[in-house]
Amino acid sequence: MLLDTFGRQAVDLRVSLTDRCNLRCTYCMPEEGLQWLAKPELLTDEEIVRLVTIAVRDLGVREVRFTGGEPMLRPGLVGIVAACAELEPRPELSLTTNGIGLARTAVALKAAGLDRVNVSLDTLDPDTFHTLTRRHRHHDVLDGLAAAEAAGLDPVKLNAVLMRGVNDHEAADLLGWCVERGYELRFIEQMPLDAQHGWDRSQMVTAEEILERLATRFALTAEPSAVRGAAPAERWLVDGGPASVGVIASVTRPFCRACDRTRLTADGQIRNCLFATGETDLRTALRSGAPDAEIGELWRVAMWGKKAGAGIDDPEFLQPERPMSAIGG
């Protein structure tokens, strides 16, 4: 098992397949992009599958989510999913994506064994989408959502980040649109993980503000905390249900006490927290011929040292040097 000194067990593995992305979201990276990892630094498809195998077979991981960067840019994505779907015990497999390319790949991903997708969509307005992402790809995301639903990648979940003065007025519109289509919407507070290190807490749209905006149009009933478990999103039934909406308040209402995640970067580093300033190198062990047991022990030690919380409110909090695109969401 992957335990820490506070009694938490990591059963949810986030695997970054690439640091590259085909959007340039203002809250993630600069317009010119970043210096991408060189191909030799990236884990191969086989190395990824081997590490996921160790996590599932030996370390108690039950859920695997593939992230990026943008994981759809990984040429071997379908094959990686298929290999992980054959593991025993079989983990739940999901994908976090910006939706671009999903229209042509959803059927293959479902056939390979993917269970569901989380698609990032911050706005219903194509012009606002361009302002936020610096790309004219709004229609591709909508096509991807429709394809995921048609392929049976249920439930289709949407992740949305509200930016003050840009799209924060769209909160209720986004929820209404999702309820109408049967998508599950999750709002995420903007986190200090941008490559520019320009995050400003005073400009962040908080969970309370999001709920206030939603309450102008919908009746929200809080889900009991016991039902939430280790899920990062606090959830509310919309107009009595069955539709629901979630808010992931990573900054104002952190859920560190119940955190059950471990993270593998595209270059083979273990991160025991999204906001960690240190990593544990598994790639070197892999490539030096270390057996699975030795790699598993490195992983256990990495998780044992996990801190009690992210410490965003601590005056000494340091934003990780690596941006979200390198860490994996």
Side-chain angles (χ1 to χ4, degrees):
M1 293 190 295
L2 294 172
L3 297 172
D4 63 36
T5 57
F6 299 94
R8 296 169 296 194
Q9 180 183 355
V11 297
D12 183 336
L13 169 61
R14 304 299 169 100
V15 181
S16 176
L17 298 181
T18 178
D19 60 328
R20 296 173 182 265
C21 189
N22 41 17
L23 297 180
R24 295 292 181 271
C25 296
T26 57
Y27 52 78
C28 185
M29 67 174 71
E31 185 172 6
E32 66 273 14
L34 300 170
Q35 181 66 47
W36 308 124
L37 292 167
K39 188 172 181 179
E41 297 179 53
L42 295 172
L43 294 175
T44 66
D45 293 358
E46 293 76 16
E47 288 171 335
I48 290 171
V49 172
R50 183 182 172 195
L51 288 175
V52 173
T53 299
I54 293 170
V56 171
R57 184 193 63 207
D58 303 335
L59 302 177
V61 164
R62 299 193 294 267
E63 301 175 31
V64 178
R65 179 178 297 186
F66 300 106
T67 71
E70 174 43 54
M72 297 290 292
L73 296 179
R74 179 88 186 200
L77 172 61
V78 172
I80 291 170
V81 170
C84 293
E86 294 178 355
L87 296 177
E88 293 291 343
R90 202 269 202 200
E92 178 183 325
L93 300 174
S94 60
L95 176 77
T96 294
T97 172
N98 61 29
I100 297 173
L102 191 55
R104 64 174 181 272
T105 316
V107 171
L109 287 169
K110 178 64 176 179
L114 191 70
D115 295 306
R116 61 178 181 82
V117 292
N118 285 50
V119 179
S120 298
L121 180 63
D122 303 323
T123 177
L124 300 176
D125 184 343
D127 292 332
T128 304
F129 183 88
H130 178 258
T131 298
L132 284 166
T133 69
R134 306 183 178 104
R135 298 291 186 270
H136 292 288
R137 306 298 297 272
H138 190 257
H139 64 285
D140 291 315
V141 181
L142 299 187
D143 290 346
L145 284 165
E149 182 181 23
L153 291 168
D154 300 318
V156 176
K157 296 185 178 182
L158 263 71
N159 296 334
V161 176
L162 298 182
M163 302 293 288
R164 194 174 302 282
V166 181
N167 66 332
D168 54 326
H169 62 285
E170 290 192 68
D173 290 338
L174 278 164
L175 179 54
W177 188 83
C178 288
V179 169
E180 182 179 317
R181 288 158 179 77
Y183 301 148
E184 294 188 15
L185 178 61
R186 300 289 183 270
F187 290 102
I188 305 174
E189 288 182 336
Q190 183 196 4
M191 294 179 283
L193 291 167
D194 59 307
Q196 310 94 301
H197 284 210
W199 180 82
D200 182 348
R201 181 169 184 148
S202 67
Q203 292 302 304
M204 180 191 72
V205 181
T206 67
E208 287 301 327
E209 291 177 278
I210 294 168
L211 292 171
E212 288 172 2
R213 285 164 168 76
L214 297 180
T216 62
R217 193 183 305 179
F218 304 97
L220 303 179
T221 306
E223 179 184 71
S225 58
V227 177
R228 179 184 179 186
E234 296 177 80
R235 298 202 307 172
W236 286 262
L237 290 179
V238 179
D239 292 338
S244 66
V245 63
V247 179
I248 301 176
S250 302
V251 177
T252 62
R253 295 204 288 264
F255 43 90
C256 301
R257 286 185 184 178
C259 182
D260 64 350
R261 297 179 181 181
T262 182
R263 299 175 182 274
L264 177 65
T265 68
D267 55 349
Q269 311 300 304
I270 289 298
R271 298 181 63 85
N272 59 27
C273 174
L274 189 60
F275 298 100
T277 55
E279 301 174 333
T280 297
D281 181 13
L282 297 188
R283 185 187 63 198
T284 297
L286 273 175
R287 295 180 179 178
S288 64
D292 289 358
E294 181 178 326
I295 294 170
E297 185 58 25
L298 287 171
W299 207 326
R300 288 189 186 93
V301 171
M303 296 307 299
W304 185 252
K306 185 172 183 171
K307 294 181 179 179
I312 292 178
D313 288 324
D314 191 317
E316 297 184 0
F317 172 77
L318 293 176
Q319 181 174 338
E321 286 299 318
R322 303 187 81 180
M324 174 71 81
S325 59
I327 295 171

